[in-house]
Amino acid sequence: MAPAAVLDKPSEDQMSEDRMETAECVDRLTLLRSMPEAPLECQVCVVGAGPAGLMLACNLGRCGIKVEVVDDRADQTPVGRQVKADGLQPKTIETFRQMRLADPLLQRGVRVYDISFWRSTPDDPLHRLGREVHYPPVIDVLDPYILLVHQGMVESLFIEDLRKRGIEVRRNTAFDSYSVCDNKGGPLQINCRTNVTQDRKTILTQYLVGCDGAHSKVRKSIPDAKPVGMSQPSVWGVLDGELDTDFPDIWSKTLVYSQEHGSILIIPRERNMTRFYIELKSGPKGDRNQLGQEFVMQRAKEIMAPFRVGWKYIEWFGRYQIGQRVANRFCDNHLRAFLAGDASHTHSPKAAQGMNTSMHDAWNLCWKLNLAVRGLAKPALLESYEEERRKIALDLVNFDYEHANQIAGGDAVALAENFKTNVRFISGIGAEYGENAVNMMEDQSWVMGEAKPGCLLPPAKVTRYLDSNPVDIQLDIPMLGQFRIYLLMWDVHQSRIFLDTFVQAIASPDALVSRLSAAASISYAKQPRAPAPEDIYLRPERYTAVSHLFTFALITTMPKSEIEITDLPPLLQDSRWTVYLDDIPEQDTRGSLCTNKWLGSLGPGEVAIVNVRPDGYVGSIGRWDSSVDDAGEDAARWLDRYYDRFLQVPPLVQASS
């Protein structure tokens, strides 16, 4: 039998065919580039300038990736005209804090801390059944409320951030189709039509991401990406306006159920407005267009009786039919075209998940695309996008189906129980990923704390060593597309041998972490992160002094008086802005030390390492006995083994080294 190497070797005919396909692709690109209006060229093309598309573009632009955003609308969303785009959940607020974009939203939004339930029957007038805290203390978040802001405010934040980096959304530009070069390695050709004249425009790109909504044209262009699910027969009306009412719970999230007339979900909004989601339980037969604004306003008054309900003005009215669908695929077979947001999943707006889930699709994908464009990602990294976010989409539509039905059914007890059961998921912190290349869950039997692979890093308060500032550890290091590697120990002096051998091992030219850092340095030198005026205050260079790919941090319970920066190995001395003292448990959300919260417990001579992904999820956790001679080297090998699962040194860099 012929050896495997001979069997696997391509024939001369195959190689000749590949060369012909490559030549044809190059010829086609040369022809396109020689046309009177040359095609636009970028590394990532984002279709759709809603929250998902702008979140993606904003973070890619910050990372220095050449991104083009096209949108078929003439302008951004002026008010909250997307029925899903109202509330930001605690995890989304945390994400905006990590991006340093939260302040304008916190200043202008309305915070909702509780939910109340009302009910009426033909024999029993409308009365309050009870109140619940929206996010009870069991949900460990920094912001235990929903922040009500409309979609236009969120879009404006992203657009302004993009503009600071020289990126503008291309308006009146509709995606038409895309094609892949025959050799699969060439750029994608994106075909668009612009303006009312429907002029053709071509974009050449490495990656395409469809964030173009429930009727996504990008999704229709990806084979086998058909959305699967169902629509429910009930129709709901939506009214945004300023109320004139004597109803007492108008500034709480409130469910009002009338056995005779249906349900209303009341959502307080910014600018003194209130949103009503109104179930149209019965009404004019036939054409749903008969369910107009006047009819819906009258139905709201009937459900809310005997309370007075009127409107000083109506800013927006709409109708929708609930549908829960998830696309079969979130990417194409070549890992070149992706879907995010409503293009990949749709559901009802009543749990305030739509904009949150959509933006976190983009948050998950942006750092993976950054590393892929730079040649640092193995295919497994991009494959993890569909694995992770399709699971969350399925979890969401399953929850949403039950939640929407219980709102329509008016069973306050069942709804409250369903809410309590799913409150971690609703808040965003319960969106958890399974084992894959990026989440290493091998031998996790000793993991007793709240930091777990595939889960978000829990919030904790620590003191930053250098300036004694109390900081939120999960927020302090800015998101620059880099991994965070936290080393936790009780006593730095007792663990000094471990630290020395660990740092020497990962700095070795043979260590993967060292070679990846060198490759990242070359990449960011050629294509640096895009600066912004506020960088002079934020000083992002503090967090890339050692590596553009990894920010190392040390957390110790030692008093500041017993440790100097010079006591640390050189790598950690250069990471001085990320040395922390775990000494302020009284300021924590749970009154706990960071070390205890994350790890459950840590022995006096133990050292733990927590790898945190660029999106704030824990990737892997390990711990070692620092008294064992080769523990530091073993930890370095473990670190290499984790990152070898999904990162690579680009071939050209390997060849030159």
Side-chain angles (χ1 to χ4, degrees), residues 489-502:
M489 64 207 68
W490 292 117
D491 190 316
V492 169
H493 300 305
Q494 188 176 348
S495 304
R496 182 59 195 262
I497 294 175
F498 174 96
L499 289 174
D500 285 340
T501 55
F502 171 76

Side-chain angles (χ1 to χ4, degrees), residues 74 88 101 116 156 168 178 186 189 192 213 225 297 307 324 353 374 389 412 416 504 537 638:
L88 300 182
L101 290 178
S116 65
S156 294
E168 294 283 348
Y178 81 96
Q189 180 178 321
C192 299
M297 291 169 69
F307 293 100
Q324 286 108 356
Q353 293 295 302
R374 295 181 182 279
R389 294 312 296 176
Q504 288 170 9
Y537 304 105
W638 172 84

Side-chain angles (χ1 to χ4, degrees), residues 67-171:
V67 61
E68 288 286 349
V69 187
V70 300
D71 191 276
D72 59 3
R73 299 176 298 169
D75 206 347
Q76 70 184 82
T77 305
V79 293
R81 294 191 178 180
Q82 301 290 325
V83 293
K84 293 187 181 181
D86 272 323
L88 300 182
Q89 300 289 354
K91 168 52 194 153
T92 308
I93 300 170
E94 178 182 275
T95 300
F96 276 100
R97 287 186 184 276
Q98 289 166 331
M99 293 179 66
R100 309 303 192 252
L101 290 178
D103 286 349
L105 299 175
L106 293 169
Q107 290 162 6
R108 299 171 194 169
V110 173
R111 305 180 190 198
V112 173
Y113 283 89
D114 69 347
I115 180 169
S116 65
F117 303 93
W118 291 69
R119 183 182 176 90
S120 71
T121 69
D123 302 321
D124 199 4
L126 188 62
H127 62 286
R128 186 191 294 116
L129 294 175
R131 285 194 180 102
E132 297 280 349
V133 175
H134 207 291
Y135 290 115
V138 69
I139 304 303
D140 191 10
V141 292
L142 202 60
D143 300 282
Y145 51 83
I146 299 179
L147 184 69
L148 280 305
V149 293
H150 70 65
Q151 178 173 327
M153 291 167 63
V154 174
E155 288 181 12
S156 294
L157 267 184
F158 288 138
I159 289 169
E160 183 182 348
D161 198 78
L162 285 165
R163 199 164 280 153
K164 289 176 184 176
R165 293 166 172 82
I167 301 168
E168 294 283 348
V169 176
R170 293 185 181 274
R171 299 286 179 186

Side-chain angles (χ1 to χ4, degrees), residues 407-428:
I407 287 177
D411 187 337
V413 174
L415 183 64
E417 283 303 314
N418 178 263
F419 193 87
K420 287 177 183 177
T421 301
N422 294 283
V423 69
R424 288 191 77 256
F425 183 81
I426 295 167
S427 72

Side-chain angles (χ1 to χ4, degrees), residues 168-184:
E168 294 283 348
V169 176
R170 293 185 181 274
R171 299 286 179 186
N172 295 313
T173 303
F175 172 87
D176 195 39
S177 63
Y178 81 96
S179 56
V180 187
C181 267
D182 292 333
N183 72 345
K184 308 296 188 292

